Amino acid sequence: MPSDGVALVNGLRVHYTSAGSGPGLVLLHGWPQTSHCWRKVIPELARTHTVIAPDLRGYGLTDKPRDGYDKRTMATDMAELVSALGFESVSVVGHDRGARVAHRWGLDRPDQVDRLAVLDIVPTREMWRRVNAEAATAYWHWFFHLQPDLPERLAGNDIAGYLGYFFERWTVNRHGLEPAAIDEYVRAFSAPGALRAGFDDYRAAPLDDEHDNADAGRKLTMPVLALWGSAGLPAKLPMREIWRDYAENPTCAEIADCGHFLPEERPEQVLAHLREFLAAAA
């Protein structure tokens, strides 16, 4: 059975769920979620790995400081967490914002990341490069969340309504997440500082962009798996072509009849890809 823990790393208390034994496998969630999003895949992955599913800086039960939301700092949080738990290197699976943290982790500490799976994202630098009318319409929340103070004021008046908009629009059948899971995310983002911290993740864009531009042309050197949902926003882009520009030899696959929330909408298909990907390291 999964167990909960808290570690003091990089100046903050990081909450995590762990299960299983064997090589380390870190699962990083996105927005507007917490480590709860991995509940359907943790038991199976724990058959072969020590699974560690943290709440990222500012999310869930992890501390919510006023700064440090650039992906380099958030990746450092995770790097120090796995070291504190006794792992020299781990495999990493990231979804949404967690995949952006994972990407930066893989660039900054390639010796610590054995294998890297990114779920339903385009690299951040590539996304900004491709902003046009269609992309701006699809990714409007990026620009809204970047604004100081306003998102908290507006979304804070109806957290369930605001988050519910994304859970409806970003699932393939518009009710792909069970009500209990949505209730858990609404509860998490109703905690003091949680909305602000989640938006600060997006507000770190200028510093993230500086770091990404400094690494322009650098590719991830470890094995990379890129998965996306057929009905998700990235599916409209040439994903295989894009990831070949950012990783030396990526494995790419689209999950049919799936929206954005891959581990919750299609956990069996995600597990099938992850099993094959992780087994190749054995």
Side-chain angles (χ1 to χ4, degrees):
M1 292 291 293
S3 61
D4 287 340
V6 175
L8 180 60
V9 295
N10 204 24
L12 75 163
R13 293 168 300 173
V14 174
H15 168 263
Y16 63 91
T17 296
S18 63
S21 61
L25 173 62
V26 178
L27 310 178
L28 302 180
H29 67 84
W31 185 94
Q33 298 180 287
T34 67
S35 56
H36 186 69
C37 77
W38 302 107
R39 66 196 177 280
K40 295 182 179 180
V41 300
I42 287 176
E44 183 64 24
L45 293 173
R47 292 177 180 271
T48 55
H49 289 75
T50 299
V51 179
I52 305 159
D55 289 332
L56 292 168
R57 173 181 292 247
Y59 289 84
L61 296 177
T62 290
D63 283 347
K64 299 165 180 58
R66 301 294 308 192
D67 56 10
Y69 293 93
D70 63 282
K71 303 308 158 289
R72 173 161 285 158
T73 300
M74 294 177 78
T76 299
D77 296 341
M78 298 298 101
E80 293 193 10
L81 174 63
V82 300
S83 293
L85 295 176
F87 292 93
E88 292 185 2
S89 63
V90 292
S91 295
V92 181
V93 181
H95 174 246
D96 187 79
R97 306 301 295 181
R100 303 188 188 286
V101 175
H103 189 179
R104 173 48 56 189
W105 190 359
L107 286 174
D108 286 354
R109 293 175 170 83
D111 292 342
Q112 195 179 35
V113 179
D114 296 327
R115 306 178 80 77
L116 176 59
V118 289
L119 276 55
D120 216 55
I121 70 156
V122 169
T124 309
R125 181 175 183 271
E126 190 68 24
M127 198 65 250
W128 287 123
R129 290 178 63 204
R130 291 174 178 266
V131 170
N132 55 22
E134 182 179 23
T137 300
Y139 288 86
W140 64 270
H141 61 290
W142 282 30
F143 304 95
F144 177 55
H145 292 178
L146 277 167
Q147 306 310 310
D149 302 324
L150 184 62
E152 291 92 327
R153 180 173 184 178
L154 298 182
N157 287 325
D158 185 5
I159 294 173
Y162 188 66
L163 300 190
Y165 174 91
F166 297 96
F167 294 132
E168 175 190 341
R169 297 299 181 95
W170 288 355
T171 51
V172 70
N173 56 9
R174 296 215 163 184
H175 52 81
L177 303 188
E178 62 267 35
I182 294 176
D183 290 345
E184 172 63 21
Y185 300 134
V186 171
R187 182 201 62 76
F189 281 89
S190 297
L195 272 182
R196 184 264 309 157
F199 296 141
D200 282 346
D201 186 347
Y202 289 84
R203 291 178 185 132
L207 185 52
D208 288 335
D209 196 47
E210 178 183 323
H211 295 158
D212 289 345
N213 285 332
D215 282 329
R218 278 189 63 203
K219 293 187 178 184
L220 293 163
T221 55
M222 69 289 297
V224 170
L225 171 67
L227 300 176
W228 61 92
S230 63
L233 300 178
K236 299 178 181 179
L237 298 171
M239 291 290 282
R240 291 174 177 83
E241 173 186 322
I242 289 171
W243 276 107
R244 282 195 292 268
D245 288 338
Y246 286 84
E248 287 188 351
N249 188 27
T251 301
C252 300
E254 181 174 281
I255 296 182
D257 198 30
C258 185
H260 176 60
F261 302 102
L262 279 65
E264 293 171 284
E265 292 185 74
R266 296 289 179 262
E268 289 303 323
Q269 289 89 329
V270 170
L271 280 169
H273 285 287
L274 289 180
R275 284 192 208 101
E276 181 177 0
F277 181 62
L278 295 170

